[in-house]
Amino acid sequence: MNKKTRTSSPMKRKEALTGYLFISPWLIGFIVFVFGPLAASLYLSFTKYNLLRPPKFIGFGNYHHMIFSVDFWKSLEVTFYYAIVSVPLDLLVALVLAILLNQNVRLMRLFRTLFYLPAVLPPVAIAVLWNWILNPDYGFLNRALGFIGLPKPQWLVTPQWTVPAFIVMSIWSVGTAMVIMLAGLQDVPQTLYEAVVIDGASTWQKFRYVTLPMISPVLFFNLVMGIIGAFSYFTQAYVMGSSYGQGAGVNNAGLFYALNVYIQGFSNLHMGYASALAWVLFFIVFVLTMLVFRSSALWVYYGSEK
Amino acid sequence: MVSGRPQRVTQKFIVYLLLIGISISFLVPFVWLVLSALKSSDEIFVFPPVWLPKHFEWGNFVKAMTEVSFGRFGVNTIIIAVLNMVGNVASCAFVAYGFARFRFPGRKILFGILLATLMIPPEVLLIPQFILFHKLNWINTFLPLTVPAFFGNAFFVFLLRQFFMTIPIELEEAARIDGAGPLRIFLQIVVPLIKPALTAVAIFSFEGAWNSFLGPLIYLNDQSKYTLQLGLNLFQGTFHTQWNLIMAASVVVMLPIIIIFFFAQRYFVQGITLTGSKG
């Protein structure tokens, strides 16, 4: 602190003060709405608290309870199942769509608009619409499957077809990832393609040795956002789950982790326990994100980035 | 050269085929939605299904809007969405400019913290924030859903900072030599230059508030304060056999976003690509 830094000159000091003034809305907001609540929720996770009486400290009681709770393990299973299938699948679909949209063809703007639109629509409306499309008896999907002679799964009505229904629905909303990938594809310098074509590269080799490394930062970004999104999946789970079974589908087959946090906190008023659940979620997302960050050294290429 | 041409033609053909095929599968849910909204209660369950309704039941829209007080929900949603838009545009522009242009101790660390907050799952903040607003007696008011927008949003601050970095600093230096203070430079020179980015932030925050469900779900209790998203879910719970009415209500809730999207596509795409392409 006593170091002779340049901030000691009046000009610099004035600049620093102005800077702090400009960022002060965020700084105040961060302390009041993020940092304070985070600290409070860590404390609450060690208490028994129902909003009505003051929190009672119970040490690791909530965490201990969690280990023996069927709902906790069920919600982990549901969320991991959804994440493991939907995150890679959505990335792949988004990449294929982005490559198609990066071709030089007519009506490109129209196609881009069409593929991106579902991603900006209200999640509640999407969930309500897909509830209808996935209706096992009257829904469009099963009528179409029946028409071509395929079996008609009991989407959302039977436990084993609950998570798959959410996965099917997620593909429809890959627009955001797709647009980011498209931007990444358009940033790949054409000269690189020209260079490898002279060396006799095939289409696959162009993709494997030029496109893929060049868009790896974008894939990385989408992977991280996809993981965070999958573990915070709530609105669709709430809206669709409540229409089949009590809150989370038949036999809790749609009990996503975030939905469990909501039910424990706001339906059962177990605020302390819900805080502990939320911290475990935070920990899981943190570990997964760190693993992806660590692994990124192996597969993400930042070579020509400025 | 010559031998490459037929191959390129087939390649183009396959690309078109795929694009059209995928477009149709992306459009079918919309078509199904609109047609279901226009069918009579009997026709909606008919087997084999009919695509086009015999009579277009435009009355479904009126019925859907009047059976539940959708007008009230619409007004509530607009109030919340507009306040979010104003709050985010004002606060995020200030904060982003602060991070982009001024040197102060701890700037890098604070910006790092700002980016790190993007990775906090919203559920972690849900309970403590609810308790905070409960203590403030803000439950069942619009305050928890609007006030935080005036304190900056990490995603928008990041986006606007990227824009500010592209503005040549010489413009501001010239103004400073002429004696303009930082606030005046910011409002009169910089803000007009980043209008497209501010528009993107405005549209994104309007859309975000319009589409939001979890916040209104936990903070609003009285039906008179409900938003459209809560109304739609309520509707689904109450009238779940009247799919034609539910679909009509869904169309109404989606329509404003679809209209904004068609007029402001450019800004949506701009805003989103800036976050992804350059790490």
Side-chain angles (χ1 to χ4, degrees):
Chain A
M1 287 295 146
N2 288 326
K3 272 186 295 176
K4 278 183 204 159
T5 49
R6 275 179 224 151
T7 40
S8 52
S9 88
M11 270 259 291
K12 292 273 174 193
R13 214 185 271 170
K14 205 180 159 207
E15 187 188 343
L17 193 67
T18 321
Y20 284 127
L21 276 177
F22 268 93
I23 69 159
S24 62
W26 171 74
L27 210 52
I28 295 166
F30 170 73
I31 293 165
V32 176
F33 298 122
V34 180
F35 186 75
L38 269 185
S41 109
L42 186 60
Y43 169 70
L44 284 173
S45 79
F46 296 107
T47 66
K48 206 175 163 121
Y49 184 41
N50 63 1
L51 278 184
L52 309 169
R53 290 199 200 134
K56 191 177 145 218
F57 191 81
I58 53 163
F60 282 92
N62 288 322
Y63 294 93
H64 185 259
H65 177 73
M66 206 182 292
I67 298 172
F68 297 99
S69 151
V70 180
D71 292 351
F72 167 71
W73 292 107
K74 183 70 198 174
S75 68
L76 271 187
E77 181 198 319
V78 169
T79 311
F80 268 95
Y81 176 13
Y82 175 77
I84 287 168
V85 182
S86 82
V87 173
L89 187 68
D90 291 354
L91 272 186
L92 186 70
V93 172
L95 180 61
V96 170
L97 290 181
I99 289 170
L100 279 174
L101 290 178
N102 197 33
Q103 309 295 317
N104 191 15
V105 293
R106 275 158 216 262
L107 297 176
M108 196 42 82
R109 272 177 62 101
L110 179 73
F111 288 124
R112 278 181 198 169
T113 309
L114 271 179
F115 296 166
Y116 183 37
L117 178 62
V120 300
L121 294 176
V124 179
I126 290 181
V128 169
L129 168 61
W130 278 85
N131 241 352
W132 176 227
I133 291 173
L134 293 167
N135 185 301
D137 302 318
Y138 305 105
F140 174 80
L141 190 60
N142 275 6
R143 285 177 171 189
L145 290 174
F147 185 73
I148 51 175
L150 288 171
K152 304 182 202 170
Q154 297 290 300
W155 307 105
L156 293 162
V157 178
T158 52
Q160 67 267 36
W161 286 105
T162 299
V163 175
F166 286 99
I167 293 167
V168 167
M169 189 174 68
S170 79
I171 297 175
W172 198 53
S173 313
V174 295
T176 306
M178 177 199 78
V179 170
I180 294 173
M181 285 197 201
L182 184 59
L185 286 173
Q186 292 186 337
D187 276 351
V188 181
Q190 283 303 310
T191 49
L192 281 180
Y193 288 119
E194 286 157 17
V196 292
V197 167
I198 292 169
D199 291 343
S202 67
T203 308
W204 166 250
Q205 285 169 326
K206 278 200 290 188
F207 176 74
R208 174 68 190 82
Y209 296 106
V210 179
T211 313
L212 221 44
M214 291 304 288
I215 63 161
S216 56
V218 177
L219 287 175
F220 171 69
F221 176 83
N222 279 329
L223 180 61
V224 172
M225 296 320 276
I227 291 172
I228 296 172
F231 279 89
S232 327
Y233 195 73
F234 176 80
T235 303
Q236 288 93 328
Y238 179 91
V239 173
M240 297 177 86
S242 57
S243 55
Y244 295 92
Q246 357 27 24
V250 179
N251 288 344
N252 274 342
L255 186 67
F256 281 83
Y257 198 98
L259 185 56
N260 195 27
V261 175
Y262 172 84
I263 292 172
Q264 296 299 342
F266 297 95
S267 305
N268 304 344
L269 285 184
H270 296 155
M271 290 283 173
Y273 181 57
S275 299
L277 282 174
W279 272 88
V280 170
L281 173 70
F282 198 7
F283 180 73
I284 293 171
V285 172
F286 180 78
V287 168
L288 287 175
T289 316
M290 278 302 129
L291 282 176
V292 176
F293 264 97
R294 279 285 161 81
S295 81
S296 71
L298 302 171
W299 61 275
V300 178
Y301 174 78
Y302 287 108
S304 70
E305 296 269 294
K306 276 176 276 180
Chain B
M1 281 275 271
V2 183
S3 67
R5 250 189 99 196
Q7 201 194 337
R8 216 172 296 156
V9 171
T10 22
Q11 202 184 321
K12 269 250 156 98
F13 180 73
I14 294 170
V15 168
Y16 271 115
L17 209 64
L18 284 171
L19 280 172
I20 293 168
I22 298 168
S23 297
I24 292 171
S25 56
F26 264 69
L27 270 175
V28 162
F30 280 111
V31 176
W32 184 248
L33 167 74
V34 174
L35 291 178
S36 303
L38 290 167
K39 284 177 187 168
S40 68
S41 318
D42 302 328
E43 227 173 356
I44 203 150
F45 294 121
V46 161
F47 196 85
V50 280
W51 273 99
L52 279 177
K54 274 202 202 83
H55 300 283
F56 288 87
E57 299 275 345
W58 295 104
N60 284 349
F61 284 94
V62 182
K63 234 188 256 174
M65 291 303 91
T66 45
E67 295 215 3
V68 169
S69 41
F70 259 78
R72 181 72 247 170
F73 302 160
V75 172
N76 294 342
T77 314
I78 289 171
I79 293 171
I80 293 171
V82 168
L83 283 172
N84 269 275
M85 194 167 84
V86 173
N88 273 322
V89 168
S91 65
C92 297
F94 261 98
V95 175
Y97 188 64
F99 275 119
R101 278 297 192 263
F102 299 98
R103 326 215 135 259
F104 48 85
R107 183 176 71 146
K108 279 202 173 139
I109 296 168
L110 288 173
F111 194 67
I113 292 174
L114 179 125
L115 290 183
T117 59
L118 284 173
M119 291 190 188
I120 302 172
E123 283 72 19
V124 181
L125 294 169
L126 192 66
I127 289 152
Q129 282 183 348
F130 178 83
I131 294 168
L132 172 72
F133 294 133
H134 179 77
K135 295 245 146 107
L136 290 170
N137 258 327
W138 284 8
I139 303 301
N140 209 18
T141 70
F142 294 159
L143 294 172
L145 305 171
T146 50
V147 171
F150 289 84
F151 291 90
N153 164 302
F155 174 75
F156 297 141
V157 169
F158 172 66
L159 196 146
L160 289 176
R161 182 179 165 270
Q162 306 273 83
F163 265 92
F164 281 129
M165 303 292 251
T166 63
I167 299 173
I169 199 159
E170 286 77 15
L171 276 171
E172 293 152 68
E173 275 167 357
R176 191 173 313 144
I177 290 164
D178 291 345
L183 192 64
R184 206 167 140 190
I185 295 175
F186 172 70
L187 292 175
Q188 292 192 337
I189 297 176
V190 182
V191 165
L193 287 173
I194 58 147
K195 260 190 201 149
L198 290 177
T199 313
V201 167
I203 292 169
F204 268 116
S205 44
F206 186 90
E207 183 228 353
W210 188 275
N211 290 350
S212 148
F213 179 67
L214 183 54
L217 178 69
I218 65 169
Y219 294 123
L220 304 175
N221 305 325
D222 286 351
Q223 269 193 34
S224 64
K225 301 213 167 96
Y226 270 20
T227 61
L228 284 172
Q229 308 303 330
L230 291 181
L232 185 58
N233 189 51
L234 180 81
F235 206 96
Q236 175 177 253
T238 325
F239 299 96
H240 61 90
T241 46
Q242 290 177 280
W243 280 104
N244 48 348
L245 297 191
I246 297 175
M247 289 304 118
S250 305
V251 171
V252 174
V253 173
M254 283 185 190
L255 208 58
I257 295 297
I258 295 180
I259 293 169
I260 293 173
F261 180 72
F262 274 99
F263 286 105
Q265 268 181 65
R266 188 160 75 88
Y267 297 105
F268 274 97
V269 172
Q270 237 172 28
I272 208 168
T273 46
L274 247 168
T275 52
S277 62
K278 295 272 186 268

